[in-house]
PDB file of all heavy atoms in Angstrom:
ATOM      1  N   GLN G 917     -18.781   8.278   5.891  1.00 89.00           N
ATOM      2  CA  GLN G 917     -19.333   7.291   6.782  1.00 89.00           C
ATOM      3  C   GLN G 917     -19.199   5.845   6.062  1.00 89.00           C
ATOM      4  O   GLN G 917     -19.407   4.881   6.808  1.00 89.00           O
ATOM      5  CB  GLN G 917     -20.677   7.511   6.948  1.00 89.00           C
ATOM      6  CG  GLN G 917     -20.880   8.879   7.758  1.00 89.00           C
ATOM      7  CD  GLN G 917     -20.099   8.881   9.121  1.00 89.00           C
ATOM      8  OE1 GLN G 917     -20.455   7.949   9.939  1.00 89.00           O
ATOM      9  NE2 GLN G 917     -19.375   9.902   9.334  1.00 89.00           N
ATOM     10  N   SER G 918     -18.880   5.842   4.817  1.00 91.00           N
ATOM     11  CA  SER G 918     -18.701   4.537   4.096  1.00 91.00           C
ATOM     12  C   SER G 918     -17.497   4.723   3.166  1.00 91.00           C
ATOM     13  O   SER G 918     -16.707   5.707   3.367  1.00 91.00           O
ATOM     14  CB  SER G 918     -20.067   4.209   3.308  1.00 91.00           C
ATOM     15  OG  SER G 918     -20.239   5.249   2.430  1.00 91.00           O
ATOM     16  N   ALA G 919     -17.321   3.699   2.318  1.00 92.00           N
ATOM     17  CA  ALA G 919     -16.164   3.709   1.421  1.00 92.00           C
ATOM     18  C   ALA G 919     -15.800   4.994   0.814  1.00 92.00           C
ATOM     19  O   ALA G 919     -16.663   5.765   0.334  1.00 92.00           O
ATOM     20  CB  ALA G 919     -16.312   2.753   0.338  1.00 92.00           C
ATOM     21  N   LEU G 920     -14.506   5.421   1.015  1.00 94.00           N
ATOM     22  CA  LEU G 920     -14.107   6.860   0.605  1.00 94.00           C
ATOM     23  C   LEU G 920     -14.339   6.983  -0.888  1.00 94.00           C
ATOM     24  O   LEU G 920     -13.815   6.071  -1.631  1.00 94.00           O
ATOM     25  CB  LEU G 920     -12.605   7.006   0.945  1.00 94.00           C
ATOM     26  CG  LEU G 920     -12.168   8.417   0.986  1.00 94.00           C
ATOM     27  CD1 LEU G 920     -12.761   9.417   1.959  1.00 94.00           C
ATOM     28  CD2 LEU G 920     -10.499   8.423   1.185  1.00 94.00           C
ATOM     29  N   THR G 921     -14.930   7.972  -1.273  1.00 95.00           N
ATOM     30  CA  THR G 921     -15.103   8.227  -2.738  1.00 95.00           C
ATOM     31  C   THR G 921     -14.334   9.516  -3.253  1.00 95.00           C
ATOM     32  O   THR G 921     -13.806  10.281  -2.508  1.00 95.00           O
ATOM     33  CB  THR G 921     -16.590   8.538  -3.046  1.00 95.00           C
ATOM     34  OG1 THR G 921     -17.020   9.681  -2.408  1.00 95.00           O
ATOM     35  CG2 THR G 921     -17.540   7.398  -2.461  1.00 95.00           C
ATOM     36  N   GLU G 922     -14.359   9.715  -4.608  1.00 95.00           N
ATOM     37  CA  GLU G 922     -13.746  10.845  -5.105  1.00 95.00           C
ATOM     38  C   GLU G 922     -14.391  12.203  -4.625  1.00 95.00           C
ATOM     39  O   GLU G 922     -13.784  13.133  -4.462  1.00 95.00           O
ATOM     40  CB  GLU G 922     -13.719  10.746  -6.692  1.00 95.00           C
ATOM     41  CG  GLU G 922     -13.042  11.928  -7.364  1.00 95.00           C
ATOM     42  CD  GLU G 922     -13.049  11.854  -8.855  1.00 95.00           C
ATOM     43  OE1 GLU G 922     -13.384  10.668  -9.353  1.00 95.00           O
ATOM     44  OE2 GLU G 922     -12.733  12.746  -9.523  1.00 95.00           O
ATOM     45  N   GLN G 923     -15.754  11.956  -4.465  1.00 95.00           N
ATOM     46  CA  GLN G 923     -16.485  13.195  -4.031  1.00 95.00           C
ATOM     47  C   GLN G 923     -16.086  13.512  -2.562  1.00 95.00           C
ATOM     48  O   GLN G 923     -15.958  14.705  -2.250  1.00 95.00           O
ATOM     49  CB  GLN G 923     -18.013  12.923  -4.086  1.00 95.00           C
ATOM     50  CG  GLN G 923     -18.627  12.816  -5.541  1.00 95.00           C
ATOM     51  CD  GLN G 923     -18.126  11.664  -6.266  1.00 95.00           C
ATOM     52  OE1 GLN G 923     -18.027  10.514  -5.634  1.00 95.00           O
ATOM     53  NE2 GLN G 923     -18.038  11.731  -7.545  1.00 95.00           N
ATOM     54  N   ASP G 924     -15.795  12.500  -1.823  1.00 94.00           N
ATOM     55  CA  ASP G 924     -15.404  12.763  -0.386  1.00 94.00           C
ATOM     56  C   ASP G 924     -14.046  13.501  -0.329  1.00 94.00           C
ATOM     57  O   ASP G 924     -13.809  14.533   0.407  1.00 94.00           O
ATOM     58  CB  ASP G 924     -15.312  11.517   0.344  1.00 94.00           C
ATOM     59  CG  ASP G 924     -16.512  10.773   0.628  1.00 94.00           C
ATOM     60  OD1 ASP G 924     -17.478  11.489   0.892  1.00 94.00           O
ATOM     61  OD2 ASP G 924     -16.573   9.529   0.627  1.00 94.00           O
ATOM     62  N   VAL G 925     -13.149  13.051  -1.222  1.00 94.00           N
ATOM     63  CA  VAL G 925     -11.769  13.725  -1.400  1.00 94.00           C
ATOM     64  C   VAL G 925     -11.875  15.129  -1.899  1.00 94.00           C
ATOM     65  O   VAL G 925     -11.290  15.980  -1.387  1.00 94.00           O
ATOM     66  CB  VAL G 925     -10.867  12.804  -2.238  1.00 94.00           C
ATOM     67  CG1 VAL G 925      -9.536  13.524  -2.397  1.00 94.00           C
ATOM     68  CG2 VAL G 925     -10.734  11.375  -1.661  1.00 94.00           C
ATOM     69  N   THR G 926     -12.795  15.306  -2.924  1.00 94.00           N
ATOM     70  CA  THR G 926     -12.946  16.641  -3.421  1.00 94.00           C
ATOM     71  C   THR G 926     -13.589  17.574  -2.396  1.00 94.00           C
ATOM     72  O   THR G 926     -13.108  18.763  -2.076  1.00 94.00           O
ATOM     73  CB  THR G 926     -13.852  16.592  -4.624  1.00 94.00           C
ATOM     74  OG1 THR G 926     -13.318  15.807  -5.599  1.00 94.00           O
ATOM     75  CG2 THR G 926     -14.097  17.989  -5.232  1.00 94.00           C
ATOM     76  N   LYS G 927     -14.406  17.010  -1.546  1.00 94.00           N
ATOM     77  CA  LYS G 927     -14.979  17.873  -0.499  1.00 94.00           C
ATOM     78  C   LYS G 927     -14.038  18.181   0.614  1.00 94.00           C
ATOM     79  O   LYS G 927     -14.118  19.370   1.099  1.00 94.00           O
ATOM     80  CB  LYS G 927     -16.206  17.073   0.207  1.00 94.00           C
ATOM     81  CG  LYS G 927     -16.799  17.692   1.439  1.00 94.00           C
ATOM     82  CD  LYS G 927     -17.879  16.641   2.017  1.00 94.00           C
ATOM     83  CE  LYS G 927     -18.328  17.203   3.311  1.00 94.00           C
ATOM     84  NZ  LYS G 927     -19.223  16.247   4.058  1.00 94.00           N
ATOM     85  N   ALA G 928     -13.146  17.288   0.842  1.00 95.00           N
ATOM     86  CA  ALA G 928     -12.165  17.521   1.895  1.00 95.00           C
ATOM     87  C   ALA G 928     -10.889  18.300   1.465  1.00 95.00           C
ATOM     88  O   ALA G 928     -10.071  18.656   2.329  1.00 95.00           O
ATOM     89  CB  ALA G 928     -11.658  16.093   2.527  1.00 95.00           C
ATOM     90  N   THR G 929     -10.729  18.458   0.127  1.00 96.00           N
ATOM     91  CA  THR G 929      -9.530  19.109  -0.323  1.00 96.00           C
ATOM     92  C   THR G 929      -9.055  20.385   0.236  1.00 96.00           C
ATOM     93  O   THR G 929      -7.831  20.451   0.595  1.00 96.00           O
ATOM     94  CB  THR G 929      -9.650  19.278  -1.927  1.00 96.00           C
ATOM     95  OG1 THR G 929      -9.639  17.988  -2.525  1.00 96.00           O
ATOM     96  CG2 THR G 929      -8.443  20.045  -2.498  1.00 96.00           C
TER      97      THR G 929
END
Side-chain angles (χ1 to χ4, degrees):
Q917 297 301 307
S918 56
L920 193 67
T921 66
E922 184 177 346
Q923 291 71 31
D924 292 325
V925 176
T926 300
K927 173 185 173 183
T929 291

